[in-house]
Amino acid sequence: MHQFTPPPHTVVHGSGPTWAVGELLVHRVDETELPPPTGAWLLPEATPDAVGDARWLRPDFATPDGALRLASHSFAVEANGLRVLVDTGIGNGRTRANPAFDHLDTPYLQRLTAAGFAPESVDLVILTHLHTDHVGWNTLDRNGSWVPTFPNARYLVARTEWDYWAGVEMDEPRRQLFRDSVHPVRDAGLLDLVDVPDTGSEVAPGIRLRPTPGHTPGQVAVELHSGARSAVITGDCIHHPVQLHRPGITSCVDIDPAQAIHSRRELVASLADTETLLLGSHFPPPTAGLVTTEAGTYRLRPVPGVSS
């Protein structure tokens, strides 16, 4: 195998891991590691045997016995004078059915501020989809009411995603999610719905939404471009690097598993053996890398971010 040399994506900047994508800077803002049982629940087909087939997953992405490592974080992007946040994690102090998400207490906002993204400075919040672990810090509990965390930002959601959830019968946990983390943003007049055609939709200079439906009908990946450099933030089109090795592995919460597989295969194939950096929305450290072909499938060649 040839010697792999990562391209010059990484720089020293801020208090957390940062990647340079041309003139854009991408910071990973950590919320929490997810408990060890999460992987087996979320991706039940990712058995120890399936993980064992890809030795490159260990030790960063899987334990020695084949359990998946997963995390919750946001990506904060400095883009042409804008401060853009991609997904907002689980959030603190929320009643959630999943014990891993219930009544968290993390220093997420302090970490976000340390990265240079004080809440009032954020210009744009992109929500890849409207699941619990991607919208939580949309709001804060202030004197018993949920109010927008980022009062000067526009919050973007694909119209297909919004229309889907508006048209289905939700159970009580999901209604609670919308009451505390989604509807307060709409009610404050900060929510924008974006039409995302098959060709994608540019929402800011250098930032484009790419439709990757299946996990949810309006799930999007976020493409970043600057000069000759590019990157893609996965959202939940790809939960874990094992899905590069076996793209047919689906999530137990995929709404349309067949469509999710199709979207994942298309995305991964488009990135393979290119210089486009892949940033996983739930990938544990090192979180980012280049997709390469290997033995008839794909793997991730890590490109760690650099912390100051």
Side-chain angles (χ1 to χ4, degrees):
M1 189 185 331
H2 69 278
Q3 180 66 35
F4 173 72
T5 303
H9 283 293
T10 58
V11 297
V12 176
H13 182 89
S15 61
T18 301
W19 295 263
V21 180
E23 296 298 315
L24 309 186
L25 294 176
V26 184
H27 311 273
R28 193 190 73 217
V29 181
D30 293 331
E31 183 175 34
T32 187
E33 295 179 5
L34 296 177
T38 303
W41 164 75
L42 182 68
L43 302 172
E45 299 160 81
T47 62
D49 285 345
V51 172
D53 288 346
R55 294 182 181 179
W56 58 268
L57 290 170
R58 299 186 298 271
D60 293 325
F61 304 120
T63 65
D65 61 357
L68 304 183
R69 302 186 193 276
L70 291 157
S72 175
H73 48 250
S74 299
F75 292 107
V77 184
E78 297 179 44
N80 302 301
L82 295 177
R83 280 176 160 72
V84 181
L85 192 61
V86 179
D87 287 334
T88 66
I90 300 163
N92 281 355
R94 286 145 215 276
T95 300
R96 296 293 184 251
N98 187 329
F101 302 160
D102 189 49
H103 286 93
L104 286 192
D105 184 11
T106 75
Y108 172 87
L109 283 187
Q110 293 92 317
R111 292 169 180 159
L112 185 65
T113 300
F117 284 68
E120 64 274 8
S121 75
V122 174
D123 300 295
L124 193 63
V125 177
I126 297 172
L127 303 173
T128 61
H129 62 296
L130 297 178
H131 273 170
T132 306
D133 51 333
H134 293 259
V135 302
W137 281 105
N138 283 357
T139 59
L140 288 171
D141 183 355
R142 185 167 294 159
N143 300 320
S145 296
W146 295 102
V147 300
T149 304
F150 310 103
N152 299 314
R154 305 304 302 177
Y155 290 69
L156 303 189
V157 179
R159 188 182 302 276
T160 300
E161 182 77 358
W162 182 267
D163 289 349
Y164 172 78
W165 293 112
V168 298
E169 184 65 31
M170 299 186 196
D171 59 16
E172 177 53 27
R174 199 169 300 279
R175 286 196 296 270
Q176 175 63 39
L177 157 70
F178 274 73
R179 283 196 299 266
D180 63 44
S181 297
V182 179
H183 289 158
V185 173
R186 176 201 61 185
D187 296 344
L190 301 180
L191 182 72
D192 291 334
L193 303 183
V194 181
D195 292 310
V196 185
D198 291 345
T199 54
S201 178
E202 186 173 75
V203 295
I207 301 178
R208 189 172 190 83
L209 306 186
R210 173 176 179 161
T212 52
H215 179 64
T216 64
Q219 146 77 35
V220 296
V222 180
E223 298 179 336
L224 308 175
H225 300 278
S226 176
R229 296 292 181 187
S230 59
V232 174
I233 297 171
T234 63
D236 280 359
C237 178
I238 307 171
H239 282 94
H240 188 274
V242 72
Q243 292 174 294
L244 303 179
H245 177 61
R246 294 194 180 190
I249 288 176
T250 58
S251 165
C252 68
V253 288
D254 285 345
I255 289 174
D256 185 339
Q259 180 65 63
I261 292 171
H262 177 75
S263 292
R264 186 162 44 255
R265 289 189 187 278
E266 280 200 336
L267 178 61
V268 173
S270 73
L271 300 177
D273 302 319
T274 73
E275 295 297 299
T276 298
L277 188 70
L278 180 67
L279 295 149
S281 294
H282 287 298
F283 293 10
T287 306
L290 301 180
V291 178
T292 61
T293 53
E294 183 177 280
T297 184
Y298 306 98
R299 67 166 291 172
L300 192 70
R301 301 277 184 180
V303 178
V306 176
S307 300
S308 59

